[in-house]
Amino acid sequence: MPGQAVVIGGGAIGVCSAYFLSLAGWDVTLVDRGEIGHGCSYGNACLIVPSHSHPLPGPGVVGRALRWMVRRDSPFYIRPRLDRDLLRWAWQFRRYCTPEASHRGFDALLALSRASLALYEDLARTPDLEFFFRRAGLLHVYVTDEGTAGARGEREALEAAGFRTTLFDAREVREFQPVLGDGVRGGLFIAGEAHTESLGFVRAMAAACRRRGARLLEHATVRRIRVGRRRVEAVDVESRSGREAIAADVVVIAAGSWTPAIAAPLGVQIPLQPAKGYSCTIDAFEEMPTVPILIQERRVIITPLDGRVRFGGTLELAGFDPTIDSVRYQAVVRAAREVLRQPPPMQHEEPWCGFRPVAPDGLPIIDRVGADGLIVATGHAMLGITQAPITGKLVADLAEGRTPSVPLAPWRLDRFPQRLEARGLRRSH
């Protein structure tokens, strides 16, 4: 029978885990270090895109990354620094930059993302869940001859994977989205892709958890996870109301880039790097896109939301540096403005950056680890919003011991060549 579950992390992955655990009958407490939904789920690009299931490592990525390292405004930037964890991660990342690993990763991520999109459809039809959700498709646009030349091959690959696409020349893409300017040389529309408003989705799921009796504890620090006889027993938490030990039969660590630090005292090594992404959110304007737009060569996304528009992009490996690099932020804004026919008024401009958890192979980690009852769900990189519902469902499957609807083998932690220690698991804390 279900018992008590503690979910650590109040982003999209955490609230979906709490939601599906509560549906299964668990008594859930959700703990977040800040305000629920105000981490990486707050300002991301809001896309739900199975078509973007290519893992970050792939053929040619290392060469591009080395070239981009000399440009602070590049789509992928690694801040030069001596960091043992980063060097270890980069060495493993290099091993996955092969065609074989890329194809395996794409197939696995595609299955996960498609299952998640189906769950979004179910959630959007649930009477007590209200959140912004649109299946308007996704438009790739190209601003260079090289990008335009590669669009046909991109289309063939997507159609081979079962996507419906339309290839546009420069005139046709501007007819499809008249807001685009003369600098756009072509486009590729992918039908059926979706987008949401990430913070609104997280809040809606959190509210549904509350209605099901879950306790949501914000501004709370996890001091330790207690383990006795190789089973989780409790989570020691300090919040504004004081310290307490929350009894637990299952503990889910879904704290994004902070998951390794929470798991490490239990001897569980999780190879993640925080990848900083940037966004700019402004008020809706008259000539705004009706579908999300990816500027392919710049890796910048324009997402129309409910009353707002978001420009998002870039990936920066700079550790846990919370400052907004003005050069990188302005590169995102500039790329978005340059493809639009009329530069938008930047009303109520909201700059943001957040840390996306990236594993060396670019795939998430969803697995039982260490002590009995301990589950991790992290490492979704740029697909956290896309894959949040299915991850929550898989977490509930793991807690229940059910056969999952999506195979778990690709997401196991032991796929990485490392030793998982059992430090601290043999005694009660």
Side-chain angles (χ1 to χ4, degrees):
M1 292 291 292
Q4 295 177 295
V6 176
V7 177
I8 303 170
I13 304 299
V15 296
C16 286
S17 298
Y19 178 81
F20 284 101
L21 284 166
S22 67
L23 285 184
W26 291 82
D27 182 6
V28 177
T29 300
L30 177 65
V31 179
D32 192 79
R33 61 198 293 271
E35 189 175 345
I36 288 171
H38 280 244
C40 202
S41 297
Y42 182 83
N44 61 55
C46 298
L47 300 185
I48 304 165
V49 280
S51 64
H52 282 212
S53 292
H54 295 91
L56 182 61
V61 169
V62 171
R64 286 197 299 274
L66 291 174
R67 291 194 299 272
W68 282 339
M69 277 184 68
V70 300
R71 288 177 42 203
R72 274 179 60 198
D73 63 348
S74 64
F76 181 17
Y77 180 68
I78 303 176
R79 183 185 299 175
R81 67 190 192 278
L82 290 176
D83 183 310
R84 184 168 57 185
D85 290 338
L86 173 61
L87 293 173
R88 185 183 298 115
W89 181 93
W91 183 255
Q92 291 190 46
F93 179 93
R94 179 176 170 271
R95 294 177 62 247
Y96 296 104
C97 290
T98 65
E100 296 78 16
S102 183
H103 291 320
R104 286 196 307 271
F106 177 80
D107 290 343
L109 288 172
L110 181 59
L112 196 68
S113 295
R114 280 179 165 157
S116 204
L117 178 54
L119 282 176
Y120 266 111
E121 291 278 10
D122 292 341
L123 293 170
R125 290 191 293 265
T126 301
D128 64 344
L129 275 174
E130 293 186 8
F131 59 95
F132 176 85
F133 175 76
R134 299 286 186 275
R135 289 197 71 174
L138 174 67
L139 177 65
H140 292 189
V141 300
Y142 308 91
V143 295
T144 64
D145 291 338
E146 182 182 5
T148 305
R152 191 171 300 277
E154 187 180 352
R155 179 191 192 188
E156 292 173 355
L158 287 170
E159 296 214 333
F163 293 94
R164 294 182 293 112
T165 68
T166 304
L167 192 64
F168 296 125
D169 62 22
R171 177 186 58 81
E172 291 167 337
V173 75
R174 285 194 291 273
E175 288 178 351
F176 179 63
Q177 288 292 299
V179 300
L180 294 172
D182 293 339
V184 175
R185 304 186 184 188
L188 177 65
F189 179 68
I190 307 163
E193 301 292 79
H195 65 290
T196 186
E197 197 284 304
S198 52
L199 178 60
F201 171 70
V202 170
R203 284 175 169 170
M205 295 295 282
C209 289
R210 282 194 183 96
R211 287 193 295 271
R212 298 193 63 83
R215 179 189 180 201
L216 275 57
L217 189 59
E218 298 179 298
H219 304 287
T221 301
V222 172
R223 293 302 180 187
R224 62 177 171 174
I225 299 171
R226 297 192 189 189
V227 176
R229 297 182 181 178
R230 300 189 63 82
R231 283 200 60 85
V232 296
E233 291 183 339
V235 179
D236 288 348
V237 171
E238 184 174 357
S239 66
R240 291 172 175 174
S241 58
R243 295 192 178 192
E244 62 178 304
I246 306 172
D249 301 293
V250 162
V251 175
V252 181
I253 310 178
S257 296
W258 286 269
T259 299
I262 297 172
L266 299 178
V268 179
Q269 303 169 25
I270 301 177
L272 293 181
Q273 280 293 308
K276 189 193 294 186
Y278 292 81
S279 74
C280 163
T281 308
I282 59 175
D283 285 350
F285 49 94
E286 186 175 350
E287 293 195 2
M288 58 183 278
T290 59
V291 301
I293 294 172
L294 168 68
I295 309 162
Q296 186 68 280
E297 296 92 333
R298 308 289 185 252
R299 303 295 194 271
V300 169
I301 296 158
I302 305 172
T303 310
L305 302 172
D306 190 11
R308 302 276 272 166
V309 179
R310 181 164 296 160
F311 309 149
T314 86
L315 188 152
E316 177 184 356
L317 296 177
F320 285 99
D321 179 0
T323 59
I324 293 178
D325 184 323
S326 62
V327 172
R328 297 189 62 73
Y329 173 76
Q330 289 300 329
V332 171
V333 175
R334 184 172 59 251
R337 287 169 61 91
E338 285 177 349
V339 301
L340 297 174
R341 187 168 63 87
Q342 294 290 337
M346 303 295 287
Q347 293 183 336
H348 298 111
E349 178 179 351
E350 182 182 2
W352 176 88
C353 68
F355 302 106
R356 299 165 294 194
V358 182
D361 61 356
L363 274 61
I365 300 162
I366 310 166
D367 197 9
R368 299 188 192 91
V369 299
D372 289 344
L374 184 63
I375 298 170
V376 295
T378 187
H380 294 75
M382 283 69 74
L383 293 173
I385 281 292
T386 294
Q387 298 172 344
I390 188 59
T391 300
K393 190 172 187 301
L394 291 176
V395 164
D397 290 341
L398 284 168
E400 293 280 286
R402 297 190 299 249
T403 301
S405 55
V406 176
L408 287 170
W411 327 120
R412 289 175 58 92
L413 179 59
D414 62 9
R415 69 185 188 264
F416 298 111
Q418 61 181 357
R419 180 168 59 93
L420 302 183
E421 300 174 357
R423 189 166 65 241
L425 299 183
R426 290 191 173 88
R427 64 182 185 277
S428 178
H429 293 267

